[in-house]
Amino acid sequence: MKEHASTQAGTAVHKPFFLWRHLNKLRWVVLSLVFSMLVLLPMLHLYQTYVAAHAYDLLAPSEKRLYDAMELLTSPFVSDPEKQLDAVKGTTWSGTLFGLKLSDPLAVVGQMAAGLTIYWPFLVTALIPIGFTVVFGRFFCGWICPATFLYELNSNIAGWLHWAGFRIGGRRFDKRIKYGVLALGVVVSAATGSIAFAAIYPPAIIGREIYYAVALSGFGAGAAFFAGTLLFDLLVARRGFCRYLCPGGALYSLLGRYRLVRIRRIVESCNDCAKCNVVCEFGLDPLRDGFGQECNNCTACIAVCPTDAMTFVLRPTDVPPQGPGHLGRQYRRAMEKAAGEAAGRERDRGARAAGDGESTSRPEREEAA
Amino acid sequence: MATAGERAKGRGAGGNGGQQSPSAHRPPRSGVGDEVGHAGHPLYRRGLLKSGISALVLFLAAGMPYAIARFLAPAASRPAPRHNAKVSPRPRNRMRPPGALADDAAFIAACIGCGLCGEVCPPRAIVFHAREGGGAVNTPYIDPEARACTLCGKCMPVCPTEALTVVPREKIDMGLAQIDRTACYPWVDRGICGACVSVCPLGERAIGFKQWNQYKPLVRKGCVGCGLCVEVCPHPSKPIWIVDRSEGSVAKHSI
Ligand code: SF4
Ligand code: SF4
Ligand code: SF4
Ligand code: SF4
């Protein structure tokens, strides 16, 4: 692949395709679209129920406003809202998109566990998401999940607090906890015969809570649970629920372990600034090539990199750690030292001198201070 | 140890504390830059993955006996279907959406709580159970006193699982309407009403008036339990309600 362009001589450093650093903006557009659809769809449903009732005059003023707004919004596209607006329904947990039924793989896992049977028509609805996850890894977390939209805003607040001097949200736990949650959820679903994931899985919660709040009014326990995860992320661990607890994230991490599309650091143009590590919502280590199965290809690290040192590659595993970036200080020191040593050796060999104690062997850690 | 890089982007929410400044790189030892740092990140060592997988397997194995027992158990020892239950299997006026699996335990296992059925329901009759918790969390039900089903049939095809299966209108079985003849206005000769009969979408097959005695309503076999009669009943104590088909009775004689 092009990415493996050899740059020993420092001539042809690979540059990522220029659009990739704009993918992060596209991602925000997608996230906002998904979220606003979740708000819009219940409103459209209300509109449909008003249309079906054929009683505009009996509507309350606020209902009339909604009716008018939705009519304005949809009338260019649909002539029969009662039927045609059924084309897009549902949430990211399960929904229908112009006749195409899509479901969350976690819903399928939960249903199989709860019923201890496989219902094929339902399994089929998850095949497209599963296929995408196998190729793109945990892309759902970065690109679709309506919780991400709120969690990243939450992370911004945490960032401001951090900037203002509140050292909170810095705890780290074991990433494997979420696999335990996934397994526990399967066991609990099988034991109780009802799908346990729906109660603790943020995207499912958000979808139905928004529907409830808009169409039927009122929040349920799920909203409180989600608010709790927001607080947990803010106060205990940045993006902690997703990193340590979310069963969906665990499932996608497993499915996407050998994803084909992944992010890679171009060590030749990296200058060790560590912005990628700071921006990574999932607390990964792009700077040291530590992506792993948790990376959700969100491309935030591509967008933030000042030297265009992050790119996409097509390969089923991460590259092994490549060491410090070639534009960074450590690498330069190392090279200088190596050059010095080589020169020293040359000199030594030339002079055939016995005095080898003077060669540089002290550790160079003073920049850490 | 916060470097300029970390300061530059104000979003470092602390989660990436001091561990991630570039100075944590190992100083190159052999002097050849390309060979530096093959140790790998400690969080991604194989050992951890292995123990993660074994933890997963352990969890699954722990649940297996129960799952197998549940699977192999004779039908009698599984949660009883509501038709055979001795005690009242559900409160009155609590129906599953049309086309729901008859066995309520199977229904709860099949329903993923996506809310799609509620989201297409034109009268917004479908609401969700126990959003505060409990066994039937997030499964749909209909409370006809608040809003009844109009038998439009939109919810059945939209359900992604087998929780709701498409059945023809007359085969829907949400329950059976029962009338309290000691309260219903015509039955206690407090006037003529007939609201329930006039609203029923299934007509004479489901509910009709007593012969020779107009306006006294009688429920018949064809009632599917949509609950529109319950919604429309003007009596404050709602002397008509929906029960499970196994618990109700219908007028035997023909119209
Ligand atoms: S880990 Fe769970 S809540 Fe977080 S982004 Fe992924 S699916 Fe959404
Ligand atoms: S490593 Fe980069 S692409 Fe992956 S989750 Fe972190 S910021 Fe996003
Ligand atoms: S049949 Fe129609 S009115 Fe009845 S519950 Fe289903 S969607 Fe609602
Ligand atoms: S559409 Fe089906 S799976 Fe979804 S909430 Fe309704 S009954 Fe349950």
Side-chain angles (χ1 to χ4, degrees):
Chain A
M1 293 208 52
K2 277 190 300 183
E3 282 75 13
H4 298 299
S6 172
T7 54
Q8 287 297 76
T11 48
V13 172
H14 174 73
K15 280 282 171 203
F17 182 52
F18 78 102
L19 278 183
W20 287 346
R21 61 182 305 117
H22 300 290
L23 280 181
N24 200 34
K25 289 168 215 155
L26 178 67
R27 184 175 71 94
W28 267 97
V29 172
V30 173
L31 284 176
S32 319
L33 263 181
V34 169
F35 197 84
S36 43
M37 280 311 275
L38 286 184
V39 179
L40 190 65
L41 285 177
M43 292 187 179
L44 289 176
H45 174 222
L46 284 184
Y47 171 57
Q48 280 177 293
T49 68
Y50 299 155
V51 170
H54 296 291
Y56 182 80
D57 295 336
L58 298 182
L59 296 180
S62 65
E63 295 170 339
K64 276 184 182 157
R65 272 199 298 281
L66 182 93
Y67 188 106
D68 296 338
M70 291 299 126
E71 190 171 34
L72 198 68
L73 196 68
T74 58
S75 53
F77 311 108
V78 301
S79 53
D80 178 9
E82 224 187 304
K83 290 214 165 52
Q84 288 171 330
L85 286 183
D86 283 341
V88 181
K89 283 283 174 206
T91 64
T92 60
W93 186 231
S94 184
T96 145
L97 208 63
F98 300 107
L100 182 66
K101 283 188 174 184
L102 296 170
S103 301
D104 196 312
L106 189 66
V108 177
V109 170
Q111 205 226 11
M112 282 181 349
L116 296 172
T117 49
I118 296 176
Y119 182 64
W120 290 102
F122 183 44
L123 185 61
V124 165
T125 63
L127 284 187
I128 293 177
I130 288 176
F132 266 76
T133 309
V134 168
V135 175
F136 294 101
R138 210 174 155 175
F139 82 102
F140 179 85
C141 296
W143 289 74
I144 313 277
C145 179
T148 293
F149 183 79
L150 299 174
Y151 281 148
E152 292 209 6
L153 296 179
N154 195 38
S155 287
N156 283 345
I157 296 174
W160 299 334
L161 288 178
H162 196 69
W163 177 82
F166 294 97
R167 304 278 143 175
I168 48 173
R171 292 284 300 277
R172 277 171 178 264
F173 303 94
D174 193 329
K175 295 181 183 195
R176 288 169 292 162
I177 298 172
K178 62 175 173 290
Y179 303 106
V181 173
L182 175 63
L184 195 67
V186 168
V187 170
V188 169
S189 301
T192 60
S194 83
I195 292 155
F197 295 123
I200 59 158
Y201 180 56
I205 291 175
I206 290 182
R208 63 168 189 264
E209 291 295 334
I210 291 180
Y211 170 75
Y212 239 83
V214 174
L216 300 165
S217 87
F219 286 106
F225 177 85
F226 183 71
T229 66
L230 280 177
L231 275 183
F232 176 73
D233 285 10
L234 191 65
L235 302 179
V236 182
R238 177 191 187 190
R239 214 60 199 280
F241 190 84
C242 300
R243 281 159 68 185
Y244 307 123
L245 294 171
C246 180
L251 183 63
Y252 311 137
S253 292
L254 290 178
L255 285 175
R257 182 165 165 75
Y258 296 106
R259 67 187 180 281
L260 263 184
V261 177
R262 55 179 71 223
I263 305 222
R264 175 196 195 274
R265 184 175 63 122
I266 306 168
V267 68
E268 289 84 9
S269 34
C270 169
N271 68 358
D272 284 349
C273 72
K275 286 185 179 179
C276 47
N277 277 15
V278 173
V279 84
C280 180
E281 283 281 315
F282 282 72
L284 303 180
D285 198 2
L287 174 61
R288 264 152 288 174
D289 307 294
F291 297 97
Q293 57 199 17
E294 322 282 336
C295 171
N296 51 45
N297 283 343
C298 75
T299 73
C301 52
I302 299 185
V304 81
C305 182
T307 57
D308 267 349
M310 287 283 174
T311 187
F312 276 117
V313 282
L314 287 178
R315 50 177 289 162
T317 51
D318 285 332
V319 291
Q322 310 173 82
H326 290 190
L327 302 185
R329 189 161 43 162
Q330 278 185 37
Y331 183 80
R332 202 181 59 234
R333 290 240 173 97
M335 290 312 272
E336 279 165 6
K337 198 174 95 180
E341 273 177 1
R345 265 199 300 281
E346 281 298 309
R347 203 175 339 108
D348 292 351
R349 209 180 294 133
R352 292 276 186 269
D356 50 8
E358 48 80 37
S359 70
T360 56
S361 58
R362 278 189 306 278
E364 298 189 13
R365 297 306 300 260
E366 67 273 11
E367 84 270 14
Chain B
M1 237 198 316
T3 61
E6 277 188 54
R7 291 235 184 276
K9 191 78 189 172
R11 296 180 54 189
N16 303 314
Q19 302 178 27
Q20 295 186 350
S21 72
S23 56
H25 280 315
R26 301 192 158 266
R29 263 178 268 106
S30 65
V32 184
D34 291 338
E35 293 176 10
V36 173
H38 274 268
H41 192 274
L43 278 175
Y44 285 94
R45 271 179 315 178
R46 291 232 124 202
L48 289 203
L49 174 78
K50 272 218 189 95
S51 36
I53 289 177
S54 41
L56 190 77
V57 169
L58 199 68
F59 266 117
L60 286 176
M64 253 329 140
Y66 187 86
I68 291 171
R70 222 178 87 97
F71 203 49
L72 296 181
S77 70
R78 287 196 213 164
R82 65 183 196 209
H83 289 290
N84 306 338
K86 289 278 187 296
V87 293
S88 178
R90 60 168 194 201
R92 60 172 65 157
N93 287 342
R94 283 290 179 282
M95 297 106 71
R96 294 297 184 191
L101 290 176
D103 177 354
D104 208 47
F107 177 84
I108 291 172
C111 171
I112 59 167
C114 64
L116 266 170
C117 48
E119 206 171 325
V120 296
C121 179
R124 275 180 281 153
I126 299 180
V127 287
F128 287 83
H129 240 304
R131 294 169 80 245
E132 302 76 36
V137 175
N138 294 317
T139 53
Y141 74 94
I142 294 170
D143 174 7
E145 281 190 42
R147 198 61 71 86
C149 166
T150 59
L151 299 181
C152 75
K154 275 172 112 173
C155 50
M156 293 181 274
V158 86
C159 177
T161 74
E162 80 266 43
L164 305 183
T165 44
V166 182
V167 294
R169 209 171 181 223
E170 305 76 33
K171 296 272 162 33
I172 290 173
D173 181 10
M174 303 158 77
L176 208 53
Q178 298 291 287
I179 296 171
D180 180 0
R181 295 181 184 179
T182 63
C184 169
Y185 288 131
W187 276 102
V188 295
D189 291 324
R190 294 272 304 282
I192 54 173
C193 171
C196 46
V197 176
S198 56
V199 81
C200 180
L202 295 176
E204 287 283 281
R205 267 172 299 149
I207 192 168
F209 293 123
K210 191 168 183 251
Q211 243 174 347
W212 313 123
N213 198 334
Q214 297 293 301
Y215 302 117
K216 291 186 179 172
L218 283 175
V219 178
R220 298 205 164 85
K221 247 195 358 276
C223 170
V224 299
C226 71
L228 277 170
C229 45
V230 180
E231 185 186 345
V232 83
C233 175
H235 196 292
S237 72
K238 295 275 184 199
I240 184 164
W241 59 81
I242 309 291
V243 297
D244 197 278
R245 187 166 293 270
S246 62
E247 298 194 321
S249 61
V250 294
K252 295 290 190 301
H253 55 273
S254 60
I255 297 164

